[in-house]
Amino acid sequence: DVKVTQSSRYLVKRTGEKVFLECVQDMDHENMFWYRQDPGLGLRLIYFSYDVKMKEKGDIPEGYSVSREKKERFSLILESASTNQTSMYLCASSWAGGANQPQHFGDGTRLSIL
Amino acid sequence: GESVGLHLPTLSVQEGDNSIINCAYSNSASDYFIWYKQESGKGPQFIIDIRSNMDKRQGQRVTVLLNKTVKHLSLQIAATQPGDSAVYFCAEIKTGANNLFFGTGTRLTVIP
């Protein structure tokens, strides 16, 4: 089974802090993704990466950056946390494949910015 | 029991009955669709997928139906069990793109 592990289940930070969310997958997947999930808005894509050191903006990249130094690890960075970034953050990974492949998710990090 | 996805975000069914969860997708160029199940406190879990060259696919107790004419997707769960209680999301993607677009989900509650 695919295992996507997010380093923290719950995290509380203060406004203005730099926040790092870490994600590791054990299936040698090429693609990795960061989403945020908010009530009534569903899942929205922040950034994704299709290879080491590669990144692409998703639908809502403002206020975030990412890092992919190793294939198995994808980090989401909140450069200067704000209260509107309080949310559930979900990491996912998938094969690149010839055709579309399903994304497999971690259990999420619930981040609160005070 | 049956839902209409975005217009009816909750669905309650009796244990043992069949459930139908509906989803209307927006992009006619989408050609790959996935159903996810999300239990409380967990991330979305892959259930079943279907490509646009098919109109039906079956898994264990689940069936996905795709009607491209009206851009409609449904998930049928046979003999619904309490463990099926969760939020169900449909997601769509266009070939060559990486973005999965998710619906807002339908909450399924199974009544014992």
Side-chain angles (χ1 to χ4, degrees):
Chain A
D1 276 355
V2 177
K3 184 71 173 176
V4 179
T5 303
Q6 295 184 231
S7 55
S8 304
R9 292 300 303 276
Y10 301 94
L11 209 52
V12 180
K13 296 292 182 181
R14 295 201 175 274
T15 302
E17 281 192 69
K18 191 169 186 176
V19 181
F20 293 85
L21 302 184
E22 305 289 345
C23 175
V24 177
Q25 50 94 3
D26 67 355
M27 283 301 292
D28 204 34
H29 284 169
E30 291 84 4
N31 298 334
M32 295 189 75
F33 307 83
W34 276 106
Y35 293 87
R36 62 179 284 177
Q37 184 176 27
D38 300 288
L41 296 177
L43 280 79
R44 294 179 292 167
L45 181 65
I46 304 171
Y47 266 98
F48 65 95
S49 169
Y50 52 87
D51 202 352
V52 175
K53 296 193 184 295
M54 305 301 290
K55 62 182 179 183
E56 294 283 344
K57 293 180 180 179
D59 300 318
I60 51 164
E62 296 78 19
Y64 302 94
S65 63
V66 290
S67 173
R68 185 132 181 238
E69 295 296 318
K70 294 185 178 180
K71 190 175 186 180
E72 68 270 20
R73 186 179 297 271
F74 193 35
S75 303
L76 180 69
I77 304 155
L78 285 65
E79 297 291 343
S80 177
S82 63
T83 55
N84 63 10
Q85 293 178 308
T86 291
S87 187
M88 169 69 87
Y89 289 87
L90 291 162
C91 175
S93 70
S94 70
W95 295 110
N100 290 309
Q101 299 292 328
Q103 295 178 17
H104 299 271
F105 286 83
D107 280 338
T109 296
R110 188 167 292 283
L111 175 64
S112 296
I113 306 297
L114 305 179
Chain B
E2 185 168 347
S3 83
V4 291
L6 293 177
H7 300 291
L8 186 65
T10 62
L11 175 66
S12 296
V13 298
Q14 289 291 140
E15 181 177 357
D17 285 355
N18 296 332
S19 303
I20 300 174
I21 301 171
N22 295 304
C23 181
Y25 64 93
S26 55
N27 189 346
S28 58
S30 294
D31 53 10
Y32 178 59
F33 305 89
I34 307 174
W35 279 101
Y36 287 93
K37 171 187 180 183
Q38 187 173 23
E39 297 174 276
S40 181
K42 294 187 177 181
Q45 176 187 0
F46 170 82
I47 303 174
I48 191 167
D49 58 2
I50 188 167
R51 303 190 190 280
S52 59
N53 60 353
M54 305 171 71
D55 53 21
K56 180 179 180 179
R57 191 168 187 214
Q58 288 184 291
Q60 188 176 11
R61 280 200 309 119
V62 295
T63 300
V64 55
L65 299 178
L66 175 62
N67 185 331
K68 294 181 287 293
T69 302
V70 295
K71 293 191 287 187
H72 184 269
L73 194 67
S74 69
L75 178 71
Q76 300 178 2
I77 304 173
T80 313
Q81 302 169 0
D84 295 327
S85 292
V87 176
Y88 290 80
F89 294 95
C90 65
E92 58 181 297
I93 191 169
K94 176 183 172 184
T95 295
N98 284 297
N99 297 34
L100 266 180
F101 293 97
F102 287 82
T104 52
T106 297
R107 180 174 298 279
L108 174 67
T109 301
V110 181
I111 303 164

